[in-house]
Amino acid sequence: MVIRGDRIIDDRYAPTELAEAYANVLRLIYPADQIRAEEVTATEAAYPPSRPYDPRD
């Protein structure tokens, strides 16, 4: 995810083995912003981006 101030301005999902490549591309697109990666669990990854994982489900 790309963070500007206290807002997430871009959020992408990528396979673990491509995470560094995605981060490098995001650094080119957003050179002045913070780039952060988080590994998701298999349960979280099973949910589509249109309906993200919610532990209350």
Side-chain angles (χ1 to χ4, degrees):
M1 73 183 80
V2 180
I3 302 169
R4 181 177 293 156
D6 62 349
R7 297 181 152 231
I8 296 172
I9 60 169
D10 197 339
D11 192 21
R12 309 279 175 124
Y13 294 91
T16 302
E17 60 273 7
L18 296 176
E20 189 62 36
Y22 270 65
N24 290 336
V25 170
L26 290 173
R27 283 186 193 100
L28 292 172
I29 297 170
Y30 303 105
D33 297 306
Q34 180 183 5
I35 309 295
R36 183 180 302 166
E38 296 177 358
E39 188 169 353
V40 297
T41 65
T43 302
E44 292 171 319
Y47 283 75
S50 60
R51 185 175 176 268
Y53 173 73
D54 185 345
R56 298 172 291 182
D57 284 346

